[in-house]
Amino acid sequence: MATSTRDQTAKKIPLLPLFSLVFFASIFFLLSLSRTTPVSPGSYQVKARLRSDLNCDYTDGSWVYDPDRSSAKYDSTCKEIFKGWNCIAGGKPNAEEILRWRWQPKGCNLPPFDPMGFLETYRDTNIGFVGDSLNRNMFVSLFCALRRVSIDVKKWRPAGADRGFTFLQYNLTIAYHRTNLLSRYGSWLADPKGGKLESLGYKEGYRVDVDIPDGTWASAPSFHDILIFNTGHWWWAPSKFHPVKSPMLFYENGLPIIPPIPPDVGLDIVLKHMIHYVEEKMRPGGIKFFRTQSPRHFEGGDWNEGGSCLRQQPLSSHQVQELFEVRNTGTNVESRLVNQHLLRAINESSFHILDITHLSEFRADAHPANAGGKKHDDCMHWCLPGVPDTWIDLFILHLNGIKFRD
């Protein structure tokens, strides 16, 4: 007896689900093999650790006091430490105690980087720090740690850098390019013949070319394989860029921006242009970081108003909020304000964020203060050894994660 078309259809085996089942089973099997394959010992076995650790939020945690913590990766004898940051040599009372606090992220650990392993892993690599003196703080931290394990070093100024060093045995170069605003700027005086700014009553100030990089680092993207940028402190510096006596006057395409714009708007435009410039000029395969703002800890007034930072231990979470909450419009809110502009600017770029702000906000105890050799307390830069060493640990953890991600 003949079967109907409907009966024949019912007896056919549905092949698509079967193929799908076989396909996914194969994928699962291959993945299980990759998980059990031992990682090669090269790169001091960071690959396996980073695959899991990078799921952690390293910015969320607390500082833990460890009285038995081993000494820093370098000491106060490192000659590259700027005198005002050498708190041990400068006699800061709690200079040694600063080193006994360890940043502990919630749910994971921040491993200290291995200087010798780093030199091995990043042979034939150029690394540039571009920014203000806080990036120099960080640059010196890395240099001193590497210098302690490798003494064959050449000092020079690559690609217009303020200072730089090559570790000759590894052909690893690190350099610091000083720039306050990232963009080119200089003194401006009114033209006696008049002009657009002159017609608005401007007599002097600082010309800021939003679309031209500062010459100190313009060649850095084509030289370095890895770049770490920062900017911010000079954008909120009325003692330098007074809004009336010495305002920032922004230019684009060689012409003044009319009507004139305030510094926060200028910062947004500069970031847009500089990010585009770096992405266009960077060496193929280059890795780009933007470090978030380093917090200041002035209490009782700003640096020129008698402000100080004499605390002997890290702040509590409540104290951090009081000191840095933007709504409080206090002396130190600059860091969170700058970060708002920075995060918007890099949102759709290929830059990676190195977020050091929150973990640093706790460390009101770790600035040179009155041991910095200035007429006022230095509550902006950091003691070395000190907090920037933790920034370096975090930076290298992220860098390794990017390098070994594939």
Side-chain angles (χ1 to χ4, degrees):
M1 181 178 179
T3 58
S4 66
T5 303
R6 179 178 297 176
D7 291 336
Q8 291 174 346
T9 303
K11 292 179 181 178
K12 288 181 179 178
I13 299 174
L15 296 179
L16 183 59
L18 180 60
F19 288 152
S20 299
L21 180 61
V22 172
F23 173 77
F24 285 112
S26 302
I27 292 295
F28 179 79
F29 175 72
L30 290 172
L31 285 175
S32 65
L33 285 177
S34 67
R35 287 186 185 122
T36 57
T37 302
V39 179
S40 64
S43 307
Y44 51 104
Q45 295 189 352
V46 295
K47 299 180 184 180
R49 182 174 69 241
L50 287 167
R51 284 172 184 162
S52 58
D53 280 1
L54 286 177
N55 294 324
C56 176
D57 179 5
Y58 288 93
T59 67
D60 184 16
S62 60
W63 289 92
V64 177
Y65 185 74
D66 184 356
D68 300 321
R69 191 182 184 200
S70 59
S71 60
K73 300 179 185 72
Y74 58 96
D75 58 30
S76 60
T77 63
C78 180
K79 294 181 179 180
E80 188 62 16
I81 301 176
F82 180 67
K83 183 178 179 181
W85 307 340
N86 198 329
C87 295
I88 295 174
K92 181 174 167 66
N94 69 327
E96 296 282 358
E97 285 293 290
I98 287 172
L99 307 180
R100 294 190 172 93
W101 292 90
R102 170 177 54 81
W103 179 249
Q104 178 61 59
K106 292 181 179 178
C108 58
N109 292 312
L110 176 59
F113 94 98
D114 171 12
M116 185 59 74
F118 181 82
L119 287 166
E120 291 281 1
T121 301
Y122 290 92
R123 285 177 178 272
D124 306 316
T125 302
N126 301 330
I127 303 173
F129 293 79
V130 179
D132 56 36
S133 54
L134 273 300
N135 245 16
R136 181 180 172 186
N137 234 178
M138 186 178 178
F139 160 80
V140 172
S141 170
L142 177 60
F143 168 78
C144 289
L146 299 180
R147 178 67 176 76
R148 194 169 191 178
V149 299
S150 181
I151 61 173
D152 193 9
V153 178
K154 170 190 173 183
K155 184 176 183 179
W156 63 306
R157 300 177 61 186
D162 183 70
R163 58 214 310 110
F165 301 91
T166 296
F167 293 85
L168 297 174
Q169 185 178 348
Y170 304 92
N171 192 31
L172 168 67
T173 296
I174 65 171
Y176 165 62
H177 301 258
R178 179 175 175 81
T179 175
N180 295 331
L181 305 178
L182 294 183
S183 62
R184 186 179 72 183
Y185 81 97
S187 298
W188 178 91
L189 291 174
D191 189 335
K193 298 178 182 179
K196 291 184 178 181
L197 290 172
E198 290 84 350
S199 68
L200 296 174
Y202 290 98
K203 293 180 172 55
E204 61 181 317
Y206 287 91
R207 170 173 170 164
V208 182
D209 287 278
V210 298
D211 49 354
I212 302 177
D214 197 341
T216 58
W217 70 271
S219 299
S222 60
F223 177 82
H224 292 292
D225 304 287
I226 301 163
L227 284 172
I228 307 97
F229 288 84
N230 95 291
T231 192
H233 290 289
W234 287 78
W235 290 89
W236 270 261
S239 60
K240 174 70 173 179
F241 303 113
H242 192 278
V244 176
K245 297 177 182 178
S246 54
M248 302 171 83
L249 303 170
F250 296 95
Y251 278 65
E252 190 170 23
N253 297 319
L255 299 172
I257 297 176
I258 302 295
I261 56 177
D264 60 327
V265 178
L267 173 59
D268 288 335
I269 300 175
V270 166
L271 287 172
K272 179 190 75 172
H273 281 292
M274 296 304 105
I275 288 171
H276 176 74
Y277 176 85
V278 175
E279 292 193 316
E280 187 178 69
K281 301 292 185 181
M282 193 74 187
R283 297 177 73 168
I287 299 173
K288 306 171 292 294
F289 286 90
F290 229 114
R291 178 179 60 72
T292 60
Q293 191 73 343
S294 171
R296 309 183 312 155
H297 288 91
F298 287 98
E299 297 185 74
D302 212 328
W303 68 270
N304 56 347
E305 299 169 338
S308 62
C309 46
L310 302 177
R311 294 179 182 265
Q312 299 296 300
Q313 60 183 17
L315 301 175
S316 66
S317 296
H318 176 70
Q319 289 170 325
V320 165
Q321 283 304 103
E322 282 188 338
L323 205 59
F324 295 103
E325 175 55 53
V326 173
R327 289 174 296 181
N328 294 343
T329 63
T331 301
N332 305 291
V333 298
E334 157 210 298
S335 57
R336 295 190 181 187
L337 287 173
V338 169
N339 285 350
Q340 291 174 2
H341 293 267
L342 174 60
L343 294 174
R344 282 199 303 267
I346 71 166
N347 185 41
E348 296 182 1
S349 75
S350 59
F351 275 74
H352 302 274
I353 275 286
L354 180 63
D355 188 353
I356 56 86
T357 303
H358 183 58
L359 69 87
S360 306
E361 286 178 337
F362 292 92
R363 297 309 303 273
D365 60 311
H367 298 282
N370 54 13
K374 297 185 177 183
K375 295 180 180 179
H376 58 83
D377 273 22
D378 184 353
C379 305
M380 180 171 74
H381 300 100
W382 301 92
C383 294
L384 291 177
V387 170
D389 304 334
T390 299
W391 301 355
I392 291 295
D393 289 339
L394 188 59
F395 160 61
I396 292 175
L397 181 73
H398 280 303
L399 178 62
N400 289 336
I402 296 164
K403 181 177 177 65
F404 302 126
R405 181 170 53 197
D406 299 327

